[in-house]
Amino acid sequence: MTTQTFSAAGVRWDLGDLFAAHDDPRIQATLADCLARAQAFAQRYRDTIRVPGGPDPEHLLAAVAELEGLEGELKRVIVFADLLYASDTARPECRDLKERVELAATEISNLVLFFDLEWMDLSDEAAARLLDHPILAGYHHYLRQARRWRPHKLSEPEERLLNERDNTGRRAFARIFTELTTSLRFPMDRNGKTDVLTMSEVLALVYHKEREVRRRAYTTLFEVLSKHDLVLTSTYETLVQDHLTMDRLRGFDHPMAERHLENEIDPQAVEQMMAATEAHYGIAHRYFRVKARLLGLPALALFDQYAPVSDALPACPFDRARDMVLEAFDAFSPSFRQIARQFFEGRWIDAEVRQGKRGGAFCASTTPGLHPYILCNYTDNLRDVVTLAHELGHGLHASLARAQTLFNYDTPLTTAETASVFAEFLVFDHLVRTQKDPQVQLALICGKIEDTFGTVFRQNVLTRFEQAIFERRGKGRLTAEAICEAWIEANRPYYGDAVEMTDGYRWGWSYIPHFIHTRFYCYSYVFGELLTLSLYRQYKEEGAPFVSRYIGLLEAGGSDSPASLLRTLGVDFHDPAFWQKGLDEIRGLVERAEELAGELRS
C-alpha cells in the first residue's frame, strides 16, 4: 500500500540554487576546479607555515583566506549531494552521487590537510605572536581552536590514510544504517485493513488518541526493527569499536573527549549538567502520574507517554502551521518573520512524507553565501508545528550568521540548538496565548512538557546509554542482548515506577541516528534546552532590550567560543545555578499543568 497523504504533500525543496540535478555537469566541473585549487594551494603553501618563528602574518592570512574559499566551493557540492540523498535514499542516482562526492572530497581534503598539521607544529610562542597580530583578528578563533587538536594529531601519511579508509569504514556503515531504516516498511492492521507505513508514519501514531493504536504502533515498530538485529547491531558495534580505535590512535583518554573538544566545552561542565538533570528526574515522575490521572489510567505504559490528554487538539495542516510560526516570530522580531518567510516562498523546505525519504528533521546550513535548507516529515500533528519551528530556528541562526566568513560561520553543537529551542518556545507561547479553551491550553502545555522532557531528560538518558555502551565495548564484543540490556538500564532511572517499559522497547536504541552519525551528540540537546530555557526567562523579564542582544548572539555564529559568546548575555555554564534555572523552568511547566488540570476537574 502507498504512504498516507498529509497536507504537506507536494511541499518539496528546490535545490536549484545549488545545482540543477544529480547529473548537472556543473557538479563535476566544480569538483575539478576544487581539485585544481587544492593542488595549487599545496604547491604554494606546503612547508611555508611550519618555519622557524612562524610565517609572516600576511602570508598566513592569504593561506587561510584561500583555504576558506576552496572549502566553501567544496561544501556546496557536498551539501547538495547530502540533501539529494536525504530526499530519496532509495534512488540509485542519489546514492551514486553521494559516494562519488565523498571520494572526491577526500582526495581534495588530503591535498590541503598539511596546512592544519603545519600550523599545529608551530611552537606556542610563534603561534601566540601570530594570534595576537591584528591582521589575523578575523580568524583568531578558528586558528586558536585548530591548535587545540595538537596533542591528538597524527602524521600526514596517517591522516591521509584514515581519510581514505573512512569512505569504506564509518561512512559506509552510516550509509547502510540510513538506507536500511528508510527502506523499512511497517505493516499495521487498522480498521480491518493492513496499512504499510514508513517509520515516520508509524512513529506519528504514538501520539494517537486511541490507546490500542498507540500500543500497536509501538509493537509494530519494535517487531520490525528486531527482525533486522544482525545489521543494526553489527553496524553500531563496528562504529563503537572504530571510535575506540581512533581514540587510542589519537591519544584521547575518554570516548567523549573528542566531542568535548569539538563542542569547546570541558568535561566537568558536561558532567555537572548531566548530574543536575538526573537529580531532577523526579519532576518527570511527578508529571507522568498527573498524566496517568488525566488519561484515567492507574499508571502509564511506555506507549502512553505521548498520548493526547484530550480530543481538543485538532489536526493542523501545513499552511496553518506556516502562518502560526510566522505570527509567533513576528511578535518577537519582524526580522525573524521576514527571514522565515523566505524558507516557504523560496521552497527551501521539504516537508512531504514519502517512501525513501530520510526520517526525522534537520536544517542543513551551506555557506554564508547561500541559504540553509530544512527537511522534516510533516504529519499534520500539532507537535509537527513545533518541529517546524525548531528547524526554522536553526535556519534563522544560519541566516543571521551569514555576515561571518565560512570559518566563523558554524557553531559547535553546544550552542547549535540555542535558536531552534528558542523558536520552539516562541511558537508554544503564541499557541497558548491564542487559545481560550482551557482543555486546549492544557493539551498544549502537556505537549510542551513532553517535548522538553524529550530534549532534556531523554537526551540525558541517551548520553548515559552511550557511556555504558563504550564502557562495555572496552571489555569485549557487543551483542544485541548486551546493547538492549544497557538501553533498558539507562532508561530505568528516568521512567522509574511511573511508566511501564514494554518488552519491545529493548530495541529503542536501534533507530536513533545520532548514535550512528555523531557519537555523543545527545548531551548537546540537554545543554541547548537548559541554556535556552534560561535565556527565554531573561526575555520574558527584560522584553525588548533582550532582543537585540540575542540577535547579536546569533549573528556572531561561531566566531568565538561558546563561553565567550554567552558571556555577553550573562551566562556562565560553570555556575551550578545556571543549570538550576533551566530545570526550575521545567518544574514550572509541570506546575502549570497540575494547576490547570485541577481547575478542569473542579
Side-chain angles (χ1 to χ4, degrees):
M1 298 183 66
T2 58
T3 301
Q4 297 181 69
T5 300
F6 297 103
S7 63
V11 180
R12 298 190 178 201
W13 51 29
D14 178 0
L15 302 179
D17 289 341
L18 297 172
F19 295 97
H22 72 277
D23 55 356
D24 188 335
R26 292 179 299 159
I27 295 174
Q28 191 56 43
T30 302
L31 291 174
D33 178 62
C34 287
L35 179 62
R37 290 171 66 175
Q39 291 167 337
F41 180 88
Q43 291 176 354
R44 188 175 300 115
Y45 294 106
R46 181 179 286 278
D47 297 325
T48 69
I49 307 300
R50 183 176 44 216
V51 294
D56 291 337
E58 293 80 6
H59 182 78
L60 182 60
L61 175 64
V64 173
E66 190 170 331
L67 182 63
E68 188 175 49
L70 166 61
E71 292 196 9
E73 275 301 289
L74 182 59
K75 187 174 182 181
R76 184 164 163 259
V77 183
I78 293 171
V79 169
F80 177 75
D82 286 346
L83 293 178
L84 207 63
Y85 177 73
S87 65
D88 192 349
T89 62
R91 190 179 173 196
E93 297 91 336
C94 300
R95 295 181 181 183
D96 292 346
L97 177 64
K98 182 173 174 61
E99 289 190 34
R100 179 159 56 90
V101 169
E102 284 179 351
L103 290 171
T106 298
E107 182 181 8
I108 293 164
S109 297
N110 275 346
L111 285 168
V112 300
L113 68 81
F114 75 87
F115 174 82
D116 281 346
L117 298 177
E118 289 195 24
W119 168 244
M120 284 187 271
D121 277 344
L122 284 181
S123 68
D124 289 338
E125 295 77 13
R129 177 181 64 82
L130 289 161
L131 286 170
D132 288 339
H133 199 285
I135 198 173
L136 289 163
Y139 294 104
H140 180 272
H141 178 63
Y142 164 75
L143 291 169
R144 183 184 60 189
Q145 179 64 9
R147 283 186 62 81
R148 293 183 66 201
W149 293 89
R150 189 180 184 188
H152 310 292
K153 73 179 182 68
L154 303 176
S155 69
E156 184 175 349
E158 289 171 322
E159 295 285 2
R160 290 169 66 100
L161 179 61
L162 289 174
N163 284 342
E164 293 279 0
R165 187 210 61 139
D166 280 348
N167 290 321
T168 53
R170 63 174 69 183
R171 293 191 192 112
F173 278 96
R175 283 197 302 272
I176 289 171
F177 172 85
T178 298
E179 290 170 14
L180 172 62
T181 54
T182 55
S183 68
L184 292 179
R185 296 295 170 259
F186 300 83
M188 185 169 158
D189 294 333
R190 288 197 299 167
N191 303 320
K193 64 177 183 178
T194 299
D195 289 334
V196 180
L197 308 177
T198 65
M199 186 180 292
S200 294
E201 290 170 329
V202 78
L203 286 171
L205 291 177
V206 305
Y207 304 104
H208 200 279
K209 64 180 181 180
E210 295 179 20
R211 194 174 196 227
E212 181 58 21
V213 172
R214 298 194 303 271
R215 186 193 66 77
R216 286 203 306 270
Y218 260 78
T219 300
T220 301
L221 173 68
F222 297 128
E223 279 183 351
V224 171
L225 288 169
S226 67
K227 292 176 182 177
H228 298 273
D229 61 324
L230 177 61
V231 176
L232 293 169
T233 300
S234 297
T235 297
Y236 188 36
E237 204 269 348
T238 299
L239 289 170
V240 169
Q241 179 58 24
D242 177 86
H243 187 100
L244 289 171
T245 299
M246 291 309 305
D247 281 351
R248 176 174 55 80
L249 292 174
R250 293 193 180 280
F252 286 112
D253 60 3
H254 190 276
M256 296 178 74
E258 181 183 14
R259 180 64 53 218
H260 295 333
L261 189 55
E262 288 185 350
N263 284 346
E264 301 180 51
I265 192 170
D266 57 273
Q268 292 77 18
V270 174
E271 184 54 40
Q272 183 185 64
M273 173 194 73
M274 293 181 65
T277 300
E278 287 171 319
H280 289 76
Y281 281 166
I283 298 173
H285 302 162
R286 175 179 170 183
Y287 172 74
F288 291 143
R289 293 188 177 98
V290 171
K291 182 161 187 178
R293 292 196 297 271
L294 288 170
L295 295 176
L297 299 170
L300 295 183
L302 191 74
F303 51 80
D304 296 317
Q305 64 178 320
Y306 300 120
V309 297
S310 75
D311 295 332
L313 288 181
C316 184
F318 187 77
D319 287 350
R320 178 60 185 141
R322 175 199 61 206
D323 294 342
M324 287 192 291
V325 170
L326 293 178
E327 289 166 11
F329 284 3
D330 188 60
F332 179 76
S333 170
S335 65
F336 271 33
R337 179 191 181 103
Q338 292 166 7
I339 294 170
R341 189 175 60 206
Q342 296 177 62
F343 282 79
F344 297 99
E345 295 177 351
R347 294 176 59 199
W348 303 345
I349 301 174
D350 194 313
E352 180 181 69
V353 177
R354 59 183 181 273
Q355 293 184 4
K357 179 181 174 181
R358 175 176 163 176
F362 65 79
C363 176
S365 62
T366 49
T367 69
L370 296 164
H371 57 78
Y373 290 89
I374 287 171
L375 179 143
C376 61
N377 288 269
Y378 194 86
T379 58
D380 295 345
N381 189 301
L382 266 177
R383 287 178 181 271
D384 293 343
V385 181
V386 178
T387 300
L388 179 63
H390 180 103
E391 300 308 334
L392 281 166
H394 282 304
L396 287 166
H397 200 166
S399 298
L400 286 166
R402 288 175 69 181
Q404 301 293 334
T405 63
L406 179 65
F407 287 164
N408 290 324
Y409 183 48
D410 291 326
T411 65
L413 295 177
T414 37
T415 48
E417 298 297 326
T418 307
S420 55
V421 176
F422 200 94
E424 283 186 33
F425 274 91
L426 289 174
V427 172
F428 165 69
D429 273 352
H430 176 75
L431 288 172
V432 174
R433 279 196 308 268
T434 55
Q435 298 299 324
K436 305 302 181 187
D437 185 341
Q439 289 278 6
V440 175
Q441 290 180 337
L442 177 61
L444 288 170
I445 291 169
C446 287
K448 189 58 193 169
I449 289 170
E450 291 155 21
D451 287 341
T452 304
F453 282 6
T455 310
V456 177
F457 296 140
R458 187 167 186 269
Q459 298 297 330
N460 208 69
V461 167
L462 267 55
T463 304
R464 289 300 189 203
F465 164 74
E466 285 192 273
Q467 289 176 327
I469 286 297
F470 276 89
E471 183 178 352
R472 290 188 184 214
R473 187 59 184 88
K475 299 174 182 177
R477 184 174 179 273
L478 292 171
T479 63
E481 181 179 356
I483 299 174
C484 290
E485 179 184 325
W487 175 254
I488 293 298
E489 287 301 311
N491 277 268
R492 189 165 282 121
Y494 171 41
Y495 290 120
D497 60 0
V499 177
E500 176 192 357
M501 286 188 284
T502 57
D503 183 63
Y505 190 56
R506 299 169 63 250
W507 293 95
W509 60 271
S510 64
Y511 66 96
I512 297 173
H514 293 323
F515 296 160
I516 302 299
H517 298 290
T518 316
R519 261 70 63 196
F520 295 105
Y521 186 117
C522 297
Y523 79 73
S524 302
Y525 283 113
V526 186
F527 187 103
E529 185 86 7
L530 293 178
L531 164 65
T532 307
L533 283 166
S534 178
L535 293 179
Y536 200 68
R537 165 65 70 89
Q538 279 188 246
Y539 165 56
K540 289 190 289 186
E541 292 173 348
E542 299 177 19
F546 174 87
V547 175
S548 60
R549 299 203 322 274
Y550 178 72
I551 291 176
L553 172 69
L554 303 188
E555 290 174 335
S559 59
D560 208 339
S561 69
S564 297
L565 293 176
L566 291 171
R567 201 172 294 126
T568 63
L569 289 167
V571 171
D572 177 8
F573 53 72
H574 292 93
D575 182 356
F578 164 70
W579 305 115
Q580 191 61 48
K581 283 182 182 179
L583 291 160
D584 286 344
E585 283 290 296
I586 298 175
R587 180 183 287 107
L589 281 171
V590 172
E591 289 171 351
R592 285 175 68 186
E594 288 177 325
E595 291 170 7
L596 197 50
E599 292 172 8
L600 289 171
R601 285 199 304 268
S602 61

